[in-house]
Amino acid sequence: MQYIVEALTDKYLLYQDQVINFTNNIPEFQIFFNDHVTNDFNILFRSLPFDRSYYAYGVPGSFYGRLFPSRSIHFAHSSSGINWLSKIPKELVDEKSPAWNKGLIHYVGASNVEVVNAYFAQFEKDMEIFFNVRAEEIVQGGMIVLITAFSGYIRLLKFFGSSLMDLANEGKLDESLVDSFNLPLYYPSPQDMTKVVRKNGLFSIERMELINIKSNLVDEADAKTLMMSLRSSIEGIIINHFGSKIGEEACARTILKSEEISEWMKVNYEKPSILFVALKRK
């Protein structure tokens, strides 16, 4: 948020220098941090820089619903948020459904196109709601900037799924528990985002690009660090479904696969891993 405020301030000062007799003061900024009601906002507030150049507020609630008054927001930003679905498509855990995702915890590695289609259909529904409520809150000409991981990154999720199946094959876990579990994560492609934005029709695409965050993190130690970071975001969901003992063992086993993960990283680390999208309210 500090970077965004600094960029806006620099833009304002540049405009001020270019326009004769423009003497308006730099505007003040209000920043609203949003998360689910279970988030500990006290930790957020304690981590804010003391010398910040904005006023900070916490707003609890799902961003798939209204959060702010009409026409009250000028700029909205979500980083690694829209990839979380509001719910798992029920057909993924229905044995009679063509989209039954048996033995897998995600669409990564699924040979069944119906699984991918079910995930995208839910993403499409969620983004329609997301754009509709944001369109109510954002002023005309206001911006939304979205950042989310791209498909290369999600290949790492298969390592967690294989750890769970290892436990099932060893008799430590009932395979039906794996069959009834799917991660509520969808990582859109540029084509996916273009489709949902155009279908909604309330925002224009100002910029969209795939970004490669260059990194030298390719050895085995770095693989452990990367998987521990990913673990922190999904461990809670895994434990809620499988219980703490199985969940923690599956996560620990995944980190032990660091050599295999490192080999994957060496092949993929130069590929684009982030999708950047800038939208403007029509």
Side-chain angles (χ1 to χ4, degrees):
M1 289 300 102
Q2 185 64 35
Y3 289 142
I4 292 172
V5 169
E6 289 173 358
L8 290 170
T9 301
D10 290 344
K11 193 89 170 180
Y12 186 90
L13 292 174
L14 179 63
Y15 181 77
Q16 194 175 48
D17 291 339
Q18 293 175 343
V19 178
I20 299 175
N21 298 325
F22 186 83
T23 58
N24 289 14
N25 294 325
I26 295 174
E28 295 181 308
F29 296 95
Q30 289 181 315
I31 304 294
F32 300 94
F33 293 93
N34 164 246
D35 208 332
H36 289 287
V37 295
T38 53
N39 181 60
D40 189 343
F41 283 88
N42 289 320
I43 294 176
L44 164 69
F45 295 143
R46 285 196 296 268
S47 70
L48 294 174
F50 178 76
D51 59 347
R52 63 186 180 275
S53 55
Y54 56 85
Y55 297 95
Y57 304 84
V59 179
S62 169
F63 58 43
Y64 290 125
R66 282 288 299 272
L67 295 167
F68 307 104
S70 297
R71 306 292 183 267
S72 62
I73 301 297
H74 294 85
F75 185 94
H77 172 56
S78 174
S79 180
S80 301
I82 62 166
N83 46 276
W84 287 94
L85 301 177
S86 64
K87 61 181 180 180
I88 281 293
K90 61 180 181 300
E91 54 266 40
L92 295 177
V93 294
D94 182 357
E95 295 184 23
K96 298 179 181 179
S97 167
W100 184 33
N101 199 21
K102 179 175 174 55
L104 297 173
I105 66 169
H106 200 242
Y107 62 86
V108 173
S111 58
N112 184 358
V113 69
E114 295 296 334
V115 173
V116 182
N117 290 343
Y119 266 97
F120 176 73
Q122 185 61 52
F123 174 76
E124 192 174 32
K125 293 175 185 176
D126 287 345
M127 291 309 295
E128 179 70 13
I129 295 171
F130 177 86
F131 288 138
N132 284 341
V133 294
R134 296 295 83 77
E136 290 290 327
E137 299 164 348
I138 294 176
V139 300
Q140 184 177 3
M143 300 287 294
I144 297 180
V145 170
L146 305 172
I147 296 174
T148 183
F150 183 52
S151 59
Y153 177 81
I154 64 174
R155 301 295 172 187
L156 295 170
L157 295 175
K158 71 178 184 180
F159 293 106
F160 282 95
S162 65
S163 294
L164 287 166
M165 285 305 298
D166 289 344
L167 290 169
N169 292 333
E170 294 170 14
K172 297 181 179 180
L173 171 64
D174 191 324
E175 189 173 342
S176 64
L177 276 175
V178 181
D179 295 339
S180 63
F181 176 75
N182 287 271
L183 288 168
L185 293 165
Y186 185 81
Y187 296 92
S189 67
Q191 293 77 16
D192 291 336
M193 283 303 304
T194 298
K195 181 177 180 180
V196 296
V197 172
R198 289 179 176 173
K199 179 182 178 183
N200 176 263
L202 297 174
F203 293 87
S204 61
I205 300 173
E206 300 298 303
R207 184 175 174 182
M208 184 184 301
E209 64 179 312
L210 290 172
I211 301 171
N212 175 29
I213 301 179
K214 293 186 179 297
S215 172
N216 294 321
L217 302 181
V218 294
D219 62 24
E220 189 173 340
D222 296 323
K224 289 182 180 179
T225 301
L226 180 61
M227 295 311 293
M228 287 175 68
S229 175
L230 183 58
R231 169 182 176 172
S232 68
S233 66
I234 66 174
E235 182 178 31
I237 299 175
I238 293 175
I239 288 177
N240 284 342
H241 184 82
F242 295 99
S244 58
K245 183 178 179 180
I246 291 296
E248 289 171 5
E249 184 171 353
C251 289
R253 285 189 178 214
T254 302
I255 293 174
L256 291 177
K257 298 181 180 182
S258 56
E259 183 177 352
E260 182 182 357
I261 297 167
S262 177
E263 290 302 314
W264 178 90
M265 292 168 65
K266 289 175 182 177
V267 174
N268 292 276
Y269 81 105
E270 291 186 344
K271 296 179 181 179
S273 58
I274 299 294
L275 177 62
F276 174 93
V277 184
L279 308 174
K280 179 183 286 187
R281 176 72 168 97
K282 292 180 179 179

